[in-house]
Amino acid sequence: MRKEFKEHAAFVTVYVLEAHASDEWPMGTEICFRQPKTLEQRLSVAQAFIEDKKIGVATVGGFNG
């Protein structure tokens, strides 16, 4: 979708928490992360997702909730 509409819209991905964290609700073994507890851990998991999926977006941090 981003490729098709990138000239008409800005796309962002918001990473809030690990939906299927290995220490909370594991869903297989393809991608396994424990639930991040710090901003640094959250940014690291988000960066791994960006690299794995090759989605070409910037990582922005600034909250820890």
Side-chain angles (χ1 to χ4, degrees), residues 6 14 16 27 56 60:
K6 67 182 178 183
V14 178
V16 179
M27 295 285 292
V60 178

Side-chain angles (χ1 to χ4, degrees), residues 4-40:
E4 184 177 348
F5 295 106
K6 67 182 178 183
E7 300 299 322
H8 306 286
F11 289 83
V12 297
T13 301
V14 178
Y15 176 78
V16 179
L17 58 85
E18 188 62 26
H20 301 289
S22 62
D23 58 335
E24 293 179 358
W25 190 10
M27 295 285 292
T29 58
E30 182 181 336
I31 300 173
C32 288
F33 292 104
R34 296 177 59 83
Q35 193 63 259
K37 305 291 186 218
T38 66
L39 177 60
E40 291 77 21

